[in-house]
C-alpha cells in the first residue's frame, strides 16, 4: 500500500477520470479501444487521460506475482517489539530477502513484518534471524492459513483473492513476470521483445500465466484519490472456528485484507480509513461480529519496504 499523502485528491478528478479509474480497476489491461467504447470518447483522448492518471500517481497498474508460483509457500505476519529507535531495526530487517513488507507502527508494537519462505524450515530460520537482531526484544508470529479477502486495488470494485494454480515457471516466464511487475499495461509487442518470442506465442503465454493466477494485473488507486488518510492492521482473536468469523469480518466495508492465521491470533485484517472517527467505527464493526473476542489494532506510520517480486531474481 502507499502511505504518502501528497497525492492527487478525488476533487482533482472529473467524472471521466473517475469512470476510467473504475474501468481500469475492473481490467487493468483493458485496451484503449475498449476503454473508449465504454467511456464514449476517442481512443486518443482516452490514452491521454490514462497516461495523465499514471504520471500523476493517481493510479499505478502493475502485475502482482503470486509468490507460491515461485516456490514461496509459507507466510508469517510478525509484530515485533524493539528496544530503542525502531528505524534502524526496520532498515536491517528490510535487507532480508524473506521480508516482503516492513512497516513502522504507532503503538506499543514498533514494527510489522511479513515474511515469505519456501517451506516451514526456511520460515523458522528467517524469523530466528530477525530475533537475533540486537534491538529485537520479542516477535509475535502468526502463520498464514488462508486468505479470505485481498483487495489490492483498495477500491470497492477490486476484491481479489490470491489463488495461483500449480504451474511451473521457466526462464521466459520469469522475464515476462519481471516486466509485468513493473508495468502491468505493457503491450504484447513489448513483452514479445522481452521474451524473444513471436507476438502470438507471447500473448498465449501471458494469458496462460494470468489464467493460472501466477500474475494478476491490478490497478492500485492512490489513497489521496480515495480520500484515505491511512491504514491500520487488526490482529483478532475469535471464539470457535475461525473460518466463519473471518468470512463475516471480510464483509465489513473498507477492510482491504482478511486472512486466517495460526498463532496467538486467529484472524488478521487491514483497514483503510478516512479519519480517526472512521477508524473507530470500523473497529467497533469488527468487534460486533459474532465470535470476535478481542481486536488489537495498530496504525501504519511508515512503509519501509514492499516487495511483491520475491523469487523473481
Amino acid at each position: 500500500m502507499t502511505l504518502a499523502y501528497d497525492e492527487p485528491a478525488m476533487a482533482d478528478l472529473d467524472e471521466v477520470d473517475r469512470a476510467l479509474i473504475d474501468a481500469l480497476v475492473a481490467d487493468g489491461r483493458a485496451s484503449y479501444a475498449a476503454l473508449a467504447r465504454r467511456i464514449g470518447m476517442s481512443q486518443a483522448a482516452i490514452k491521454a487521460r490514462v497516461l495523465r492518471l499514471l504520471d500523476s500517481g493517481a493510479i499505478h497498474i502493475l502485475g502482482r506475482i503470486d509468490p507460491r508460483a515461485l516456490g514461496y509457500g509459507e507466510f508469517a505476519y510478525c509484530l515485533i517489539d524493539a528496544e530503542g529507535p525502531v528505524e534502524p531495526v526496520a532498515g536491517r530487517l528490510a535487507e532480508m530477502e524473506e521480508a516482503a513488507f516492513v512497516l513502522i507502527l504507532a503503538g506499543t508494537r514498533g514494527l510489522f513484518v511479513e515474511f515469505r519462505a519456501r517451506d516451514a524450515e526456511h520460515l523458522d530460520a528467517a524469523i530466528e534471524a530477525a530475533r537475533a537482531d540486537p534491538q529485537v526484544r520479542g516477535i509475535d508470529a502468526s502463520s498464514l492459513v488462508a486468505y479470505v479477502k485481498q483487495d489490492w486495488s483498495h477500491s470497492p470494485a477490486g476484491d481479489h483473492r490470491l489463488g495461483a494454480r500449480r504451474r511451473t515457471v521457466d526462464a521466459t516466464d520469469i522475464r515476462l513476470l519481471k516486466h509485468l511487475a513493473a508495468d502491468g499495461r505493457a503491450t504484447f509487442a513489448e513483452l514479445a521483445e522481452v521474451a524473444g518470442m513471436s507476438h502470438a506465442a507471447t500473448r498465449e503465454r501471458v494469458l496462460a500465466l494470468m489464467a493460472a493466477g501466477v500474475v494478476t494485473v491490478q490497478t492500485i488507486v492512490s489513497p489521496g484519490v480515495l480520500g484515505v488518510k491511512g491504514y491500520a492492521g487488526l490482529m483478532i482473536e475469535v471464539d470457535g472456528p475461525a473460518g466463519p468469523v473471518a468470512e463475516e469480518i471480510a464483509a465489513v466495508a473498507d477492510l482491504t485484507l482478511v486472512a486466517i492465521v495460526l498463532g496467538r491470533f486467529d484472524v488478521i485484517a487491514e483497514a483503510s480509513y478516512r479519519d480517526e472517527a472512521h477508524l473507530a467505527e470500523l473497529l467497533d464493526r469488527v468487534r460486533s461480529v459474532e465470535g470476535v473476542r478481542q481486536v488489537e489494532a495498530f496504525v501504519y506510520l511508515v512503509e519501509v519496504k514492499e516487495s511483491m517480486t520475491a523469487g523473481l531474481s
Side-chain angles (χ1 to χ4, degrees):
M1 78 287 302
T2 303
L3 301 181
Y5 307 119
D6 54 342
E7 302 169 323
M10 185 60 90
D12 299 329
L13 307 178
D14 61 21
E15 290 185 7
V16 174
D17 290 329
R18 291 192 284 271
L20 262 179
I21 289 173
D22 287 342
L24 289 167
V25 165
D27 181 3
R29 287 188 61 81
S31 68
Y32 291 121
L35 292 170
R37 287 193 298 271
R38 175 167 174 166
I39 303 299
M41 296 178 66
S42 70
Q43 287 190 48
I46 288 295
K47 181 176 181 179
R49 281 184 177 259
V50 171
L51 294 178
R52 177 172 56 80
L53 289 170
L54 289 166
D55 290 343
S56 70
I59 59 173
H60 305 275
I61 303 177
L62 46 81
R64 294 284 191 174
I65 314 301
D66 187 334
R68 294 175 300 178
L70 303 174
Y72 285 70
E74 297 291 332
F75 305 76
Y77 298 98
C78 299
L79 291 171
I80 299 178
D81 295 320
E83 183 176 6
V86 298
E87 189 172 355
V89 188
R92 291 192 292 270
L93 294 178
E95 293 176 359
M96 297 179 61
E97 179 186 2
E98 297 87 355
F101 292 89
V102 179
L103 302 170
I104 295 176
L105 310 175
T108 57
R109 310 296 187 109
L111 296 167
F112 175 87
V113 179
E114 178 186 332
F115 289 108
R116 297 176 178 176
R118 293 181 296 275
D119 51 38
E121 183 178 358
H122 183 200
L123 184 62
D124 288 343
I127 294 173
E128 287 307 308
R131 290 187 200 277
D133 186 284
Q135 283 186 256
V136 170
R137 295 186 300 183
I139 297 180
D140 198 339
S142 299
S143 299
L144 175 67
V145 175
Y147 287 110
V148 177
K149 177 181 183 181
Q150 272 203 321
D151 182 358
W152 288 322
S153 68
H154 301 297
S155 167
D159 182 7
H160 302 280
R161 303 185 184 205
L162 193 66
R165 304 180 184 94
R166 289 190 176 274
R167 175 190 166 95
T168 301
V169 296
D170 59 21
T172 300
D173 292 330
I174 294 295
R175 290 197 296 273
L176 290 169
L177 292 171
K178 282 183 177 180
H179 202 82
L180 286 167
D183 180 8
R185 285 188 63 81
T187 66
F188 287 118
E190 292 168 339
L191 293 169
E193 185 174 347
V194 169
M197 300 170 60
S198 69
H199 183 284
T202 299
R203 183 177 186 276
E204 181 179 0
R205 186 178 284 247
V206 169
L207 293 179
L209 288 168
M210 294 174 65
V214 174
V215 59
T216 305
V217 175
Q218 294 294 321
T219 299
I220 311 300
V221 185
S222 75
V225 167
L226 295 173
V228 170
K229 178 179 180 179
Y231 297 91
L234 284 61
M235 308 297 277
I236 303 164
E237 298 177 39
V238 308
D239 294 317
V245 181
E247 291 286 351
E248 289 293 323
I249 292 170
V252 175
D254 297 315
L255 294 185
T256 55
L257 178 146
V258 178
I260 300 169
V261 295
L262 286 177
R264 184 164 75 85
F265 301 100
D266 305 296
V267 178
I268 68 165
E270 178 185 87
S272 61
Y273 61 92
R274 297 184 298 274
D275 51 37
E276 286 73 13
H278 182 214
L279 178 57
E281 176 193 346
L282 285 173
L283 291 173
D284 275 348
R285 290 173 64 189
V286 172
R287 292 186 185 108
S288 68
V289 171
E290 185 175 356
V292 170
R293 184 192 321 134
Q294 183 173 325
V295 179
E296 181 175 332
F298 47 88
V299 172
Y300 303 167
L301 292 181
V302 179
E303 181 184 273
V304 178
K305 179 182 180 181
E306 177 183 11
S307 174
M308 298 300 294
T309 58
L312 282 180
S313 58

